[in-house]
Each structure stands twice: as C-alpha cells, then as structure tokens.
Amino acid sequence: MNALIALAVVLALAAVGSFVVWRLLRSRNMELWIGSYLRRTPPLVTDRPVHVMFCFVDHFEPMWHGADVDTQRARVDRWCKEYRELAGKHRDADGRPPQHSFFYPEEEYAPEYLDKLAELCADGYGEIEVHLHHDNDTEENFRESITRFCRILHERHGAIPRDPVSGELRFGFIHGNWCLDNSRPDGRWCGINNELILLRELGCYADFTMPSAPSDTQTKTINSIYYASDDPRAPKSHDDGTPVRVGGHASGDLMLIQGPLGLNWRKRKFGVIPSIENADVRGGQPPSPGRVDDWVRTGVHVEGRPEWVFVKIHTHGTQEADMDTLLGAPTDAMHSYLEKAYNDGKRHVLHYVSAREAYNIAKAAEAGLEGNPHDYRDYVLPAPRSSWAGSGRQGGTVADRDAA
C-alpha cells in the first residue's frame, strides 16, 4: 500500500511538473518550435575554414510610434552620421565594412529619408530593401503597393536591382508585425493567404522575417534556409518547406533565410528558465561575445555546405531606446569580437554581407560552387546602383551615377 501511495505521489508530481512546463512554453509560444529545437542535429564538423556570412537586417521605421517630422528626421540623420563612423572602423576578410540592410516600410515612404539612406549605401555601408505593414489587405492592393514602391526605390533612389536575365526588379522582404502569409492566429496585420505566391510573382528573391519568437507567428521550421510552397487556401504556408541544398534547385514559391533561434542558458529567469535567443539586437538585448558565439554555433547553412555559415540578426533601428546600443559601444564591440574571434583566416573567415549578397551566396552553394563566398556576392543578382561603392564600383552620389 505504501508503495502504491508513493507511486501515486510521484505520478501526481510528474503531472504537475509537466503542466507547469507546458504553461511556461505556451506563455512564450515556445510550443511552436521547441520540438524542432530539441530534434536538431549539430552542424557537421568540417576540416575546412568556416566562412561566416554576417548579415544585419533592420526593420527601419523612421515614423515609429507616430513621431513628428523633426523626430523622424533626427532618427535618419543620426543613423547616416553615426553608422558611417561606427562601420568605418571595421573590416571583414575582404576589406569591406559591416553591411546594414535597411528594410524600409512602404507605408512610411518619404523621399528625403530614402535619399539619405541611398547616400549612406552609396558610401559602401549597406543596401535598401522592402518592408511592409498592412492589415486586412487585398491581393489587388498588395500588388499595386509593392509594384509602385519597388519602382520608386529603383528609379528615384537607385535601390533594388534588376534581374539580368528577366529584367524584372528584385527585392528582399520583411513582413511587418512578423505576419508573413497571414500567419497570426487572429488574422490581423496581413489578410492574404497567398502572400508567398504574390511575393514571388512581384520579384521577391527571399524573405528575411524569421525568427519572430516569442511571437505566435513563429514557424516550426527554425535555423534553416529553405523554400516554402504556398497553399492559397490556408495561412502560414512557410511553417515548413524544402531545405536549400547543394545540387538542388529552386522549389516552391519563396526562399526564406532565417536567423538563429534557440535557448540562452546564460540568461535565466529565476536562475532556472533559459531565455529565448532570437537574434534580436536592441537596448535590452545588447550583443555580447556569448551571443555571437551562439549565433555562429547554430550553424545555419545550405545543406551540404556546412563550412558556409549564415548569421542573420535583426533590429528595429530607429527606436530611441535602442540607438545607443546599435550605434554605440555595444555594436562596436560586437564587430571587434567578430573580427578577432571569427576572422583568423585558418579556422574562420568573416564576410559582412547584405541581404542580397546572402541570397546570392546561398544560391551559389546550391549550385555546388566552392571556394571563397566573397566571389559570389553578385552571383545571381547584381548590386543596385545605390551600393556601387560598396562593391568596389563607381562611387559618388546617386545623381552623379544617374547622369553617368
């Protein structure tokens, strides 16, 4: 009898423990992806130097929180001044400074701000891509909005390239509020179930939204570069897909290049519960050597090419609470650590890449190409006019190049 009572107590405690764990997982929406994290296989060990493609993407929103024009202008001006100063002190193995990919919101378009960002990019510090916040949208309006914005970015600001084969404008994409393909359970902040198809048809070369944890829009597929196929009858078609692999080919509707997602055991709640490492850099989540190590160790790569590691981190660059981190000592120290720990030329080789360059290098890996990824920065899609200086081409202002 005593043994039965003891067993019942143990089972009851186990049930309570399981319930508590489940509640903790649900409170951060971790049940969506924790299974994939626990089933992950460590990256293959390679005796070749590991090339680290470091890609910083920015949900760049000058009008955030309904700011007045003076505040908006101050945000953009601070970035254009201080990022030059910060990035100008750093170089990767190829002699290039850090590349910042500014995903600018279509609904916040202001020519003045894009002109200034285009000049920053022309000086060799990044590229401009497409960001969008929308709600209860329609296919017709989505097509019109993206088409118009891409044309303006290209014709007015020298951003986003033309495909050398098809001649169409090509762009990278980040979805506002993380809600790619109508992925929020309540249907807010999108409204379109065939968004992946539409993006492909409009010229999107890859999506860079994920990871979105702890949001409930997070996919079960994590730490991957993969193709997603759209089911126009259902939302969140990018929840899983086909990995991009050496010797493979484009499949589905859209490539997704994800950033690292996992658990940070160094930062624990109550000293027990690990925090989520979601590759977000901001004032409350400053970069650190430990975080950088975790990002690299995650080993996001094209299957069959483990020695090419992609580290895509993200931020919201125009929020005042975060700008001292993004433009100051913490990010400066992050780049110094990257250049010290991951650029010795023997074990690691560091490459600062834009979103477009990350895509090109992934496509080169898919095609079976080897060697130095630097050689494939423009493999499929050329650099846009506004980043010519960053690619070692003609410099000068956008107006100078347009007149050339």
Side-chain angles (χ1 to χ4, degrees), residues 48-51 93 338-351:
R48 302 180 181 183
V50 173
H51 290 264
L338 278 163
E339 292 152 20
K340 176 182 177 182
Y342 294 101
N343 199 33
D344 63 1
K346 298 178 181 178
R347 295 180 62 248
H348 296 97
V349 184
L350 176 66
H351 307 278

Side-chain angles (χ1 to χ4, degrees), residues 275-393:
S275 62
I276 296 173
E277 174 52 73
N278 59 4
D280 188 4
V281 175
R282 56 180 58 217
Q285 294 176 257
S288 66
R291 291 191 73 191
V292 171
D293 293 342
D294 287 345
W295 298 335
V296 175
R297 276 197 298 263
T298 299
V300 178
H301 65 281
V302 170
E303 287 194 0
R305 186 70 73 241
E307 70 274 18
W308 290 8
V309 171
F310 293 77
V311 176
K312 179 189 73 73
I313 65 173
H314 66 273
T315 193
H316 288 72
T318 58
Q319 300 181 15
E320 280 75 12
D322 304 326
M323 291 173 75
D324 286 346
T325 293
L326 297 169
L327 296 171
T331 298
D332 186 25
M334 176 191 75
H335 287 301
S336 293
Y337 181 72
L338 278 163
E339 292 152 20
K340 176 182 177 182
Y342 294 101
N343 199 33
D344 63 1
K346 298 178 181 178
R347 295 180 62 248
H348 296 97
V349 184
L350 176 66
H351 307 278
Y352 290 131
V353 299
S354 67
R356 177 190 60 85
E357 290 170 335
Y359 166 78
N360 279 333
I361 293 169
K363 291 297 289 184
E366 181 182 52
L369 300 177
E370 301 183 78
N372 188 347
H374 172 67
D375 297 335
Y376 310 119
R377 290 177 183 269
D378 300 335
Y379 174 65
V380 175
L381 297 177
R385 295 197 315 276
S386 62
S387 67
W388 277 6
S391 296
R393 298 181 178 88

Side-chain angles (χ1 to χ4, degrees), residues 221-259:
T221 299
I222 62 173
N223 301 326
S224 298
I225 301 174
Y226 66 107
Y227 292 109
S229 297
D230 205 340
D231 179 352
R233 300 162 299 179
K236 205 176 186 180
S237 297
H238 57 297
D239 205 26
D240 54 21
T242 303
V244 179
R245 56 173 55 93
V246 173
H249 57 84
S251 62
D253 292 296
L254 193 62
M255 179 189 289
L256 284 88
I257 298 179
Q258 296 185 323

Side-chain angles (χ1 to χ4, degrees), residues 90-113:
H90 296 279
R91 292 294 184 273
D92 65 6
D94 312 309
R96 301 185 75 217
Q99 298 296 296
H100 205 82
S101 293
F102 297 92
F103 284 77
Y104 194 97
E106 180 273 340
E107 74 281 358
E108 294 190 13
Y109 175 66
E112 173 189 346
Y113 307 154

